[in-house]
């Protein structure tokens, strides 16, 4: 078990997401940086559907009741355990009574905005409609369907002894291993969506050529961006239809909103494009106030990007196995 | 926007959207339900979810090539016969106006009708559930009387309680949990629409119908 000591708002339990419940109006939720979660689970030998803690307001503090192997991934922050500095993207052994503290995110070239605390065996809350992810609207999943509070105690699942990284093993973060930068800004690839061609040609080119600022009204539900005004050729009224995380809607004001993990599963605003699944983690780590760029892609490009991510994850798994074997033989 | 031919568009690599041609009608919706049932059985499909006049097809694994899937969707649509679901009719007791209907005055101002007339007109039809969406347990209803249509609010209400009965343009619906909304709330019901511990977790599904019963019109 671990106990939350800090009053960090908006901290939630997330896994890969809830799939198969759209028909009941239940969106996917899930980690905003699915790649960071996947790496944390790899470091600990967890199954890929294990849940972790997603932290987006710092500092965060928690105490472990028992010995536990933990991994820290996602945003680079000043992290320590019992005052001893720990490296991000690595696993470490926590002793019974250890206090984990995550300070502010570092303002490095890439700083990210969400950190993940993963534990061997995963955070063991009940599976609701196929997932442990917290879905605030409807109050399901996670711990009582809500954000974590000071004093909450979280149980762990059974660690998988078969494949655990050795203490201190670390992963090269995906922001370095799989960079995507345009004119010095982090970028994400976008597939044009149904109403793309209903926007003025200059708006279409602005989508690809102009920077988009992540405004303070951005959260797990959606990123409200500011930049050029995207204008349709004529006003559009759409009927309600299903949407997924990544969809870029353009309401009447012309400022795009990217639907993120907690997005409602249906909508009616015109859609200019969709941030591809393979790049959603990049957006999930874009801090408020930063700017991003969009890159146009097509179906083959989007599939290639997905393949690239899964190849990289396999390579990470292979390297962790090698590191473990080396340690065992030495 | 009304289209003449079915339209297929991409929602990234996770899903595609199939839009039926023509106006919104229950007959088209019956064909959408029929298409949903068929497509839901395809191996590459994780879920086929009806919207209003359209179908979201989410992928379990994105197909390498889209063309064969698009062709199959078009033929499945052509072959889809209207599926008239024998759903249940759920009666919802509603207290119109008062504290639970904070925007009744706006609907009165827009329509020129009195709260009693608005409640009577709203509670008259049997509303078919077209689709589920927006938030857990929420239903899109068809068939509201155009006389009480009222434009969405310019500034959305940040936190509307669950059970709020509201009007947005020519549509009506009941919120299943607390959350933001741009619709005009004219009443409230105490019915629970979503409970994750039930199977299915939703009270209503496409094919079911809602009838609103006036408990009281608060002045």
């Amino acid at each position: 078990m671990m106990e939350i000591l800090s009053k960090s708002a908006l901290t939630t339990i997330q896994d890969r997401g809830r799939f198969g419940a759209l028909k009941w109006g239940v969106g996917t939720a899930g980690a905003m940086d699915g790649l960071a979660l996947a790496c944390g689970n790899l470091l600990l030998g967890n199954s890929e559907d294990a849940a972790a803690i997603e932290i987006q307001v710092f500092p965060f503090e928690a105490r472990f009741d028992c010995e536990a192997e933990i991994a820290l991934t996602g945003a680079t922050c000043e992290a320590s355990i019992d005052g001893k500095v720990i490296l991000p993207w690595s696993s470490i052994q926590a002793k019974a009574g250890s206090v984990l503290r995550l300070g502010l995110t570092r303002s490095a070239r890439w700083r990210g905005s969400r950190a993940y605390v993963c534990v061997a065996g995963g955070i063991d809350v009940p599976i609701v409609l196929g997932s442990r992810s917290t879905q605030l609207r409807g109050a399901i999943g996670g711990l009582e369907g809500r954000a974590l509070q000071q004093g909450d105690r979280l149980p762990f699942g059974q660690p998988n002894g078969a494949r655990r990284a050795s203490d201190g093993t670390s992963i090269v973060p995906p922001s370095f291993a799989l960079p995507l930068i345009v004119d010095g800004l982090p970028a994400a690839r976008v597939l044009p969506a149904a109403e793309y061609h209903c926007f003025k040609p200059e708006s279409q080119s602005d989508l690809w050529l102009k920077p988009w600022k992540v405004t303070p009204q951005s959260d797990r539900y959606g990123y409200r961006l500011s930049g050029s005004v995207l204008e349709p050729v004529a006003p559009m009224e759409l009927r309600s239809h299903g949407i997924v995380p990544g969809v870029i809607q353009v309401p009447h004001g012309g400022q795009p909103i990217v639907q993120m993990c907690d997005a409602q599963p249906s909508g009616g605003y015109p859609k200019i494009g969709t941030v591809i699944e393979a790049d959603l983690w990049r957006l999930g780590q874009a801090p408020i106030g930063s700017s991003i760029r969009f890159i146009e892609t097509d179906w083959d490009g989007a599939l290639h990007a997905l393949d690239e991510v899964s190849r990289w994850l396999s390579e990470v798994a292979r390297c962790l196995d090698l590191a473990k074997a080396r340690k065992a033989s030495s | 926007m009304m289209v003449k031919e079915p339209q297929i568009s991409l929602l990234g690599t996770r899903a595609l959207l199939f839009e039926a041609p023509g106006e919104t009608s229950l007959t088209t919706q019956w064909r959408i339900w029929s298409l949903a049932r068929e497509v839901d059985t395809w191996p590459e499909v994780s879920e086929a979810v009806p919207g209003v006049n359209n179908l979201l097809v989410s992928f379990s694994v994105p197909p390498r090539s889209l063309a064969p899937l698009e062709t199959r969707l078009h033929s499945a649509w052509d072959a889809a016969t209207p599926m008239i679901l024998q759903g249940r009719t759920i009666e919802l007791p509603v207290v119109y106006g008062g504290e639970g209907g904070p925007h009744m005055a706006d609907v009165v101002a827009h329509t020129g009708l009195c709260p009693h007339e608005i409640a009577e007109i709203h509670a008259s039809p049997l509303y078919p559930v077209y689709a589920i969406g927006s938030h857990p347990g929420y239903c899109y209803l068809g068939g509201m009387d155009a006389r009480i249509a009222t434009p969405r609010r310019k500034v959305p209400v940040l936190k509307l309680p669950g059970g709020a009965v509201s009007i947005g343009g020519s549509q009506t619906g009941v919120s299943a949990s607390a959350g933001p909304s741009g619709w005009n709330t004219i009443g409230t019901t105490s019915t629970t629409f979503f409970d994750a511990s039930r199977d299915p977790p939703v009270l209503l599904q496409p094919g079911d119908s809602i009838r609103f019963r006036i408990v009281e019109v608060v002045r």
Side-chain angles (χ1 to χ4, degrees), chain B residues 147-173:
Chain B
R147 285 178 291 166
I148 54 172
T150 306
R152 290 167 197 224
R153 306 188 67 74
K154 285 202 181 81
V155 181
V157 180
L158 284 179
K159 192 140 189 186
L160 207 60
V165 176
S166 55
I167 294 173
S170 58
Q171 288 181 277
T172 187

Side-chain angles (χ1 to χ4, degrees), chain B residues 76-187:
Chain B
W77 172 249
D78 291 339
T81 48
M83 183 166 79
I84 303 167
L85 296 173
Q86 298 297 327
R88 303 162 306 153
T89 296
I90 306 282
E91 193 187 71
L92 299 181
V94 178
V95 176
Y96 285 93
E99 244 175 67
H103 310 132
M104 180 61 102
D106 299 300
V107 181
V108 167
H110 181 78
T111 61
L113 300 163
C114 77
H116 274 280
E117 290 169 316
I118 291 164
E120 288 289 344
I121 293 169
H122 188 262
S124 290
L126 186 62
Y127 294 97
V129 174
Y130 270 49
I132 305 279
S134 169
H135 59 261
Y138 182 81
C139 314
Y140 290 99
L141 305 176
M144 193 183 74
D145 193 312
R147 285 178 291 166
I148 54 172
T150 306
R152 290 167 197 224
R153 306 188 67 74
K154 285 202 181 81
V155 181
V157 180
L158 284 179
K159 192 140 189 186
L160 207 60
V165 176
S166 55
I167 294 173
S170 58
Q171 288 181 277
T172 187
V174 190
S175 60
S177 59
S181 168
W183 291 23
N184 303 286
T185 301
I186 59 166

Side-chain angles (χ1 to χ4, degrees), chain A residues 221-235:
Chain A
Y221 288 88
Y223 277 23
R224 287 172 184 261
L225 305 179
S226 76
S228 305
V229 174
L230 300 176
E231 286 182 275
V233 176

Side-chain angles (χ1 to χ4, degrees), chain A residues 20-26 128-129 137-138 140 191 193-195 236-245 247 264-266 271 274 277 280 299 302-303 306-307, chain B residues 1 9-15 17 22-24 47 49 51-54 56 59 62-64 66 132-137 140 177-179 194 196 200-202:
Chain A
L22 293 174
K23 56 180 165 292
W24 299 315
V26 180
V128 179
L129 303 177
R137 179 104 203 231
I140 58 173
L191 260 174
E195 286 78 50
M236 287 176 264
E237 275 301 324
L238 307 182
R239 287 170 287 211
S240 300
H241 56 267
I243 54 174
V244 294
V247 166
Q264 58 180 48
S266 66
K271 308 167 287 303
T274 306
E277 188 178 359
L280 268 181
W299 182 255
L303 287 188
L306 267 182
D307 290 343
Chain B
M1 272 187 311
S9 60
L10 291 172
L11 294 169
T13 49
R14 281 197 182 169
L17 187 64
E23 296 282 1
T24 306
E47 266 191 287
V49 187
V52 178
N53 236 46
N54 53 57
L56 172 96
F59 307 127
R64 283 286 138 187
L66 283 169
I132 305 279
S134 169
H135 59 261
Y140 290 99
S177 59
F194 184 86
V202 289

